[in-house]
């Protein structure tokens, strides 16, 4: 309950958050036109609401390795390329992560014994099992790449994946019986390069044969599922694409020479992004968002970005004292800029000591927008 | 009188309802009281004090938080536009009580407290607050810098005056006695 996981996820044994508190249900209701609002508002919001339209159901989390779930909670990274939002980096301890992982994965799947052919389930190690080659053929024949990226593998097909987003009714297999199922299946499909860390090969095979949630049933036999799992677990991967460099922070762009106004930075950044979580409690039935009144396990920070005065009033630190969000850190970076830059590191599974990446759980702002914020600060934050 | 009432009614009808689709990523609010309070605060921020007071004059929101915001607005406007003949004690007491309740954590109220002290001549107390806010880079708006400029002299006064002009939407609000202007021009002579 502390982390309000049920505001995004369906979780076994835990009641869903009410619609007005449930990010995904609320966004889905808006897109379905069932949200109680005027049509003109719904039409406008539909164009703007792109993130948090889906979140993985945790009812199927028992297929995962418990140790992976725990590690992921502590250092979340981008597993699902079709989702805009990703698991936020929570203020969670290893003990809390272990308890959540144990709830989601009550029975830890046994690690498989070494295969008879001596094959290993490790990145970059070639497998000799003939079922891997057959699995690759099946992967292509079933067009798994329409929904799944498999970065670093021989079957990863960016163009096919992009096409899968829009092809719609041509994939009959994926569109039976559910509203907008292709979008859900596509959006929630994980990059399979992480599958071997997330699941055992046996779990993969069982899941492919009898999937749940957004994953459509492909009607494959147990044997085919086993071969697909062998391929996903054992295909050689090009690890150069996921080097340690991915976790390094990109260089900031230089301060702009032109004048930057508050109106511009407010329109492009503060009101466009930050305001959704750092709002005014008095105008929102006492809830100023997790970044103001607290939520998702975070203490109230009292940050209101909806006005110039709110921004200038800073945020509460860990001791409950106000501090400027523009104050320079020891390396000279304004605090708010450091938070925005840290998101680049977090997205790749890293973290920056003492600085949580913002926007929480969303892709980092483009460097040009961070440049705008920093330039505005450097120019004295003109009104 | 009738004409003014009709104009006001027309304005109310013509103004579209404000919709907060995602004030917390989830909230949906259509509330005329909120709309009017927000409008009044915008008018206040742009220095339209008379308009701000008119906007909330007949407003009686059921929500205590909104009533408090209106009371805050009335108090700080009374302080900013105060007539020396007017008794400001109630307004000052209101701001003090609100700031005490917030434990100086609501920076806007804390800065307003300093403005209130300036208005009633409690300059040392005002300066202590404003120095604190300036030192922590937490001055909420240009008015704080203007007040600090009025309480200081020399280069500090000039620096505060410049900060006021940078952060003011209407630069004219930062007007100070001529000595500041002289100091600003001095290096070019």
């Amino acid at each position: 309950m502390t982390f309000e996981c049920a505001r995004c996820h369906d979780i076994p044994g835990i009641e869903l958050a009410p619609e007005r508190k449930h990010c995904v249900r609320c966004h889905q209701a808006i897109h379905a036109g069932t949200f109680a609002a005027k049509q003109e508002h719904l039409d406008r919001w539909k164009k703007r609401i792109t993130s948090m339209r889906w979140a993985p159901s945790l009812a199927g989390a028992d297929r995962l390795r418990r140790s992976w779930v725990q590690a992921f909670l502590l250092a979340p990274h981008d597993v699902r390329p079709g989702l805009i939002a990703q698991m936020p980096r929570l203020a969670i301890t290893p003990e809390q992560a272990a308890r959540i992982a144990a709830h989601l994965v009550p029975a830890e799947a046994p690690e498989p014994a070494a295969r008879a052919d001596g094959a290993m389930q490790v990145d970059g190690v070639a497998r000799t099992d003939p079922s891997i080659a057959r699995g690759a053929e099946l992967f292509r024949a079933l067009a798994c790449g329409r929904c799944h990226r498999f970065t670093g593998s021989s079957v990863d097909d960016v163009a096919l994946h992009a096409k899968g987003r829009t092809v719609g009714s041509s994939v009959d297999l994926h569109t039976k019986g559910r509203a907008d199922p292709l979008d859900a299946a596509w959006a929630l499909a994980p990059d399979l390069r992480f599958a071997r860390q997330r699941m055992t090969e046996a779990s993969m095979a069982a899941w492919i044969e009898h999937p749940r949630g957004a994953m459509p049933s492909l009607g494959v036999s147990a044997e085919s599922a086993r071969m697909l799992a062998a391929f996903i677990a054992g295909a050689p991967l090009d690890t150069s694409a996921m080097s340690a460099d991915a976790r390094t922070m990109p260089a900031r762009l230089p301060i702009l020479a032109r004048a930057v106004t508050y109106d511009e930075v407010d329109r492009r950044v503060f009101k466009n992004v930050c305001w959704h979580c750092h709002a005014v409690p008095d105008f929102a039935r006492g809830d100023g968002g997790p970044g103001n009144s607290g939520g998702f396990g975070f203490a109230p920070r009292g940050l209101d970005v909806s006005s110039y005065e709110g921004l200038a009033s800073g945020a509460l630190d860990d001791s409950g004292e106000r501090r400027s969000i523009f104050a320079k850190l020891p390396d000279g970076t304004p605090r708010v800029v450091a938070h925005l830059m840290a998101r680049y590191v977090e997205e790749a599974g890293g973290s920056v000591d003492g600085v949580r990446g913002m926007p929480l759980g969303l892709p980092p702002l483009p460097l040009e927008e961070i440049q705008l914020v920093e330039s505005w600060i450097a120019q004295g934050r003109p009104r | 009188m009738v004409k003014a009432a009709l104009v006001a009614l027309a304005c109310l009808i013509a103004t579209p309802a404000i919709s907060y689709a995602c004030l917390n990523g989830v909230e949906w609010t259509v509330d005329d009281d909120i709309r009017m309070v927000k409008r009044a605060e915008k008018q206040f921020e742009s220095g339209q004090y008379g308009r701000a007071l008119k906007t909330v004059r007949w407003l009686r929101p059921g929500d205590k938080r909104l009533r408090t915001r209106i009371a805050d607005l009335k108090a700080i406007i009374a302080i900013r536009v105060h007539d020396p003949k007017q008794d400001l004690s109630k307004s000052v007491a209101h701001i003090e009580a609100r700031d005490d309740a917030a434990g100086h954590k609501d920076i806007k109220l804390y800065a307003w407290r300093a403005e209130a002290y300036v208005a009633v001549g409690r300059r040392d107390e005002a300066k202590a607050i404003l120095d604190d806010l300036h030192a922590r880079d937490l001055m909420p708006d240009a008015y704080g810098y203007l007040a600090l400029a009025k309480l200081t002299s020399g280069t500090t006064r000039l620096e505060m005056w410049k900060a006021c002009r940078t952060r003011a939407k209407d630069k004219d609000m930062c007007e100070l006695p001529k000595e500041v202007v002289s100091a600003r021009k001095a290096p070019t002579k």
Side-chain angles (χ1 to χ4, degrees), chain B residues 126-145:
Chain B
K127 188 167 180 302
I129 293 172
L130 294 168
D131 280 342
D132 175 39
L133 289 174
H134 176 54
R136 292 193 288 151
D137 192 14
L138 285 173
M139 199 71 86
D141 55 28
Y143 288 94
Y145 285 109

Side-chain angles (χ1 to χ4, degrees), chain B residues 54-183:
Chain B
K54 276 183 187 170
T55 301
V56 296
R57 178 176 293 167
W58 304 112
L59 214 55
R60 301 289 182 271
D63 189 318
K64 190 183 172 189
R65 289 188 300 264
L66 293 184
R67 291 201 301 275
T68 305
R69 289 185 90 103
I70 292 172
D72 292 348
L73 209 54
K74 287 179 176 173
I76 187 61
I77 289 175
I79 286 162
R80 282 200 186 162
V81 301
H82 88 280
D83 179 338
K85 295 172 193 168
Q86 189 186 359
D87 178 14
L88 283 178
S89 57
K90 277 189 181 175
S91 299
V92 173
H94 173 86
I95 298 290
E96 279 182 321
R98 290 272 293 124
D99 181 47
D100 285 341
H104 311 318
K105 301 283 171 62
D106 184 327
I107 294 298
K108 188 171 69 177
L109 284 172
Y110 192 36
W112 284 357
R113 184 177 194 142
E115 283 191 57
Y117 287 165
V118 171
V120 295
R122 294 162 66 175
R123 295 168 62 92
D124 290 347
E125 289 166 276
K127 188 167 180 302
I129 293 172
L130 294 168
D131 280 342
D132 175 39
L133 289 174
H134 176 54
R136 292 193 288 151
D137 192 14
L138 285 173
M139 199 71 86
D141 55 28
Y143 288 94
Y145 285 109
L146 177 64
L148 197 48
K150 287 175 179 172
L151 295 172
T152 51
S153 59
T155 53
T156 309
R157 185 179 174 93
L158 180 60
E159 189 190 330
M160 295 304 111
W161 175 77
K162 284 180 178 173
C164 177
R165 284 185 61 83
T166 301
R167 297 181 190 184
K169 202 157 193 176
D170 173 14
K171 311 293 180 201
D172 292 342
M173 64 156 273
C174 300
E175 195 177 332
L176 277 176
K178 283 184 180 175
E179 59 199 86
V180 172
V181 180
S182 305

Side-chain angles (χ1 to χ4, degrees), chain A residues 21-370:
Chain A
K21 281 282 192 183
H22 195 293
C23 315
V24 176
R25 289 173 70 202
C26 184
H27 283 190
Q28 286 179 343
I30 289 168
H31 273 276
T34 57
F35 193 84
K38 288 180 184 172
Q39 190 59 46
E40 63 187 273
H41 295 315
L42 292 175
D43 291 342
R44 185 155 49 90
W45 297 344
K46 279 182 192 178
K47 290 177 194 163
R48 295 179 182 178
I49 295 172
T50 52
S51 72
M52 295 191 192
R53 288 186 61 190
W54 300 279
S57 166
L58 300 186
D62 55 358
R63 74 188 187 282
L64 302 171
R65 294 179 206 263
R66 191 188 290 172
S67 56
W68 181 84
V69 173
Q70 183 181 350
F72 182 71
L73 287 168
L74 292 168
H77 54 96
D78 193 4
V79 171
R80 300 172 197 272
L83 280 185
I84 295 172
Q86 70 176 65
M87 178 72 192
R89 188 165 81 88
L90 303 168
I92 191 169
T93 64
E95 292 73 26
Q96 289 169 322
R99 279 165 52 200
I100 293 173
H103 177 80
L104 296 174
V105 190
E108 177 76 286
E111 290 299 315
R115 295 171 62 97
D117 60 4
M120 301 289 288
Q121 296 178 32
V122 178
D123 281 12
V125 176
R127 292 274 298 263
T128 56
D129 187 339
S131 62
I132 291 178
R134 179 67 186 127
E137 288 170 21
L138 278 169
F139 191 95
R140 289 193 179 93
L142 291 167
C144 305
R146 280 190 194 278
C147 291
H148 288 284
R149 292 290 306 276
F150 193 175
T151 52
S153 78
S154 60
V155 297
D156 188 38
D157 187 337
V158 177
L160 179 65
H161 183 256
K163 199 176 166 190
R165 175 72 178 87
T166 54
V167 74
S169 59
S170 68
V171 190
D172 291 340
L173 183 68
H174 291 183
T175 55
K176 287 176 184 166
R178 284 178 289 180
D180 210 9
L182 180 65
D183 274 349
W186 187 89
L188 292 168
D191 183 337
L192 296 176
R193 77 164 293 114
F194 302 111
R196 60 192 67 185
Q197 286 115 42
R198 300 172 78 217
M199 305 165 75
T200 64
E201 192 173 321
S203 295
M204 279 185 225
W207 181 262
I208 292 166
E209 192 182 356
H210 299 294
R212 287 173 278 160
M215 169 87 179
S217 175
L218 303 172
V220 297
S221 65
E223 180 60 13
S224 296
R226 192 191 66 74
M227 287 189 284
L228 278 165
F231 169 64
I232 293 165
L237 296 179
D238 175 5
T239 52
S240 63
M242 288 290 287
S243 67
D245 291 345
R247 293 188 184 192
T248 60
M249 205 178 280
R252 303 208 300 273
L253 300 177
I255 301 296
L256 291 166
R258 71 171 176 85
V260 177
T261 64
Y262 167 69
D263 287 344
E264 183 182 8
V265 77
D266 183 49
R267 177 174 47 80
R268 284 179 53 183
V269 181
F270 298 133
K271 281 271 171 57
N272 191 36
V273 181
C274 319
W275 174 71
H276 289 84
C277 291
H278 300 283
V280 196
D282 290 359
F283 292 152
R285 300 174 195 167
D287 192 341
N292 190 324
S293 328
F296 299 115
F298 294 109
R301 291 294 182 189
L303 176 57
D304 163 23
V305 306
S306 67
S307 67
Y308 184 93
E309 292 75 13
L311 279 165
S313 295
L316 299 171
D317 63 15
D318 290 336
S319 63
E321 289 300 316
R322 285 261 165 203
R323 69 179 174 194
S324 171
I325 63 168
F326 305 113
K328 288 183 176 175
L329 299 182
D331 70 350
T333 309
R335 179 174 292 281
V336 66
V337 172
H339 282 281
L340 296 174
M341 291 302 296
R343 190 69 197 117
Y344 279 95
V345 180
E346 287 184 4
E347 194 180 41
S351 62
V352 178
D353 277 349
V355 180
R356 192 166 306 280
M358 291 287 153
L360 188 78
L362 287 171
L365 292 186
L367 288 171
E368 291 76 13
E369 293 188 351
I370 298 176

